[in-house]
Amino acid sequence: MGSLPSKVGQKISHQPVLLKEALEYLNVKKGEKYLDATVGGGGHAEAIFKKGGQILGIDFDPEAIKAAREHLSQACPSRQSSKKLVETTASWRLAQGNFAHLKEIAGKEGFLPVSGVLFDLGVSSYQLENSRRGFSFRSSALLDMRMDPTLEVTAADLVNALGKKELARVFASLAEEEHSRRIADAIVRARKNKPIRTCRDLADLISGVVSQGRSRLHPATKAFQALRMVVNDELNNLRQALPQAAEILKSRDRLVIISFHSGEDRIAKQFLRSEKDKRLKILTKKPLRPSAQEIESNPRSRSAKLRAAEKR
Ligand code: SAH
């Protein structure tokens, strides 16, 4: 997809991950309904639209909905869900909400049943790079990380309130951070003097106790990821959403899940296995990975895994 305008004026671009593969597995058919559970900036949605699908795009971040609306208005003009056209041609519409309630949201939009459901999990480049949102290491913004601004607990609340053991458990279990105890210890020591407020406060604190090693990633990458997962309740949302996705699909239609870390992928894998002899047929024996070329041109794709299944 192209560049999205941000509030601070810079252009941020988000390239849809595993786009060709996602389209192939969704097997988009003209005029059929596709639920994009994580519409983000609308990159995958645009491609589904261009294949003739009707899209309902969901996102719990109102800024993502706004960005998707701007992008799709330009990239997919003229047929914007005029009621008359909905039944017959490509169209798109957007709904703000948590995909943990996707059946209810799709029902309210009169969008059931569907011919495909896509999850492209995690954060968008738009969210990561928008320094106000509190995801990026160098930002002097508050350590926030809420994708849905109605959520009550920020990442700063967590690092200032959780006990040392709990913090270490979060870092180790959600992001496989090997220095989890050392980081938790440093956080608890630092906050005795003053609360940890900004992204940079936390990132510098972690850089001070964990060296970068051979990885090109910032030493705070995993800790930030783990906090983001807790703030947004990411694994529980996915656990709740997958059975609903399987339920609202029509027979022979497809579910595609793109995940970005082992916790998400495990949930996707276990869910597909648990449904294997029931509602779903697994189409990807092993998850698909992006090519070296895609990783090179879009580093966000480096940890992506795509799994797909067909409703029986
Ligand atoms: N496929 C999109 C990018 C998606 S990025 C594109 O090509 O542009 C992932 C998006 O999922 C983010 O915008 C994030 O806000 C959203 N998201 C994450 N968890 C969600 C949830 N539980 N409910 C709704 N949206 C969610």
Side-chain angles (χ1 to χ4, degrees):
M1 68 177 280
S3 298
L4 296 168
S6 86
K7 282 227 172 90
V8 274
Q10 84 265 36
K11 292 274 183 185
I12 293 169
S13 70
H14 177 100
Q15 283 172 256
V17 171
L18 290 167
L19 180 61
K20 198 165 81 36
E21 295 82 353
L23 287 176
E24 188 187 316
Y25 275 99
L26 276 175
N27 190 22
V28 178
K29 294 186 246 55
K30 278 209 173 79
E32 297 282 310
K33 294 190 176 78
Y34 295 87
L35 181 71
D36 182 343
T38 52
V39 74
H44 287 94
E46 173 190 350
I48 297 170
F49 174 94
K50 289 192 166 152
K51 292 226 163 228
Q54 298 181 46
I55 314 274
L56 171 61
I58 297 179
D59 205 294
F60 65 179
D61 178 353
E63 290 191 21
I65 292 288
K66 189 165 165 268
R69 179 160 289 122
E70 280 173 23
H71 178 70
L72 295 175
S73 302
Q74 288 195 351
C76 309
S78 82
R79 300 180 194 163
Q80 192 189 131
S81 46
S82 120
K83 282 263 155 23
K84 244 170 54 201
L85 291 167
V86 161
E87 295 307 315
T88 53
T89 59
S91 67
W92 58 268
R93 64 178 106 163
L94 302 169
Q96 190 187 326
N98 188 328
F99 61 52
H101 311 296
L102 68 81
K103 188 178 161 205
E104 185 190 329
I105 297 170
K108 271 197 193 137
E109 293 289 329
F111 207 75
L112 294 177
V114 295
S115 294
V117 181
L118 171 67
F119 291 89
D120 172 26
L121 298 163
V123 271
S124 65
S125 314
Y126 181 70
Q127 290 163 326
L128 279 177
E129 288 159 32
N130 186 332
S131 51
R132 270 185 311 105
R133 305 296 301 268
F135 292 103
S136 65
F137 311 123
R138 279 166 287 278
S139 157
S140 56
L142 284 178
L143 185 61
D144 188 327
M145 300 198 189
R146 288 170 303 165
M147 292 192 256
D148 169 358
T150 65
L151 293 170
E152 281 173 6
V153 176
T154 67
D157 294 332
L158 294 176
V159 294
N160 289 302
L162 294 181
K164 196 178 355 183
K165 275 201 184 138
E166 187 68 358
L167 281 168
R169 198 185 59 78
V170 164
F171 300 142
S173 69
L174 294 179
E176 287 150 21
E177 170 57 69
E178 35 179 325
H179 305 294
S180 58
R181 278 201 239 152
R182 203 186 302 165
I183 295 174
D185 193 52
I187 289 174
V188 171
R189 259 186 289 124
R191 76 188 188 197
K192 280 192 184 133
N193 297 330
K194 61 175 170 52
I196 297 161
R197 286 186 64 250
T198 69
C199 298
R200 200 182 296 143
D201 286 349
L202 181 62
D204 289 351
L205 187 89
I206 296 175
S207 306
V209 291
V210 177
S211 66
Q212 175 138 21
R214 270 175 299 149
S215 157
R216 281 190 302 162
L217 301 178
H218 189 288
T221 303
K222 288 183 175 173
F224 269 56
Q225 177 197 307
L227 290 169
R228 195 200 80 207
M229 289 168 71
V230 178
V231 167
N232 295 290
D233 207 13
E234 293 180 26
L235 299 183
N236 278 326
N237 289 334
L238 185 60
R239 277 191 203 102
Q240 287 184 45
L242 291 176
Q244 297 175 47
E247 191 184 331
I248 66 175
L249 277 174
K250 290 194 278 131
S251 175
R252 313 287 309 270
D253 288 333
R254 304 282 180 85
L255 168 62
V256 173
I257 307 155
I258 304 174
S259 65
F260 290 86
H261 51 74
S262 56
E264 283 171 350
D265 183 56
R266 201 172 309 125
I267 290 174
K269 181 165 105 184
Q270 283 171 356
F271 174 72
L272 296 187
R273 287 211 179 134
S274 73
E275 290 281 351
K276 193 165 70 127
D277 300 314
K278 299 176 198 156
R279 291 184 288 187
L280 300 176
K281 185 170 124 197
I282 299 176
L283 302 175
T284 45
K285 224 170 171 187
K286 282 204 174 132
L288 264 62
R289 306 291 319 272
S291 63
Q293 203 183 2
E294 176 168 1
I295 297 175
E296 173 78 16
S297 74
N298 183 14
R300 188 185 96 97
S301 72
R302 68 179 180 270
S303 45
K305 287 187 180 163
L306 182 150
R307 293 185 187 268
E310 183 174 287
K311 179 98 174 245
R312 289 187 188 277

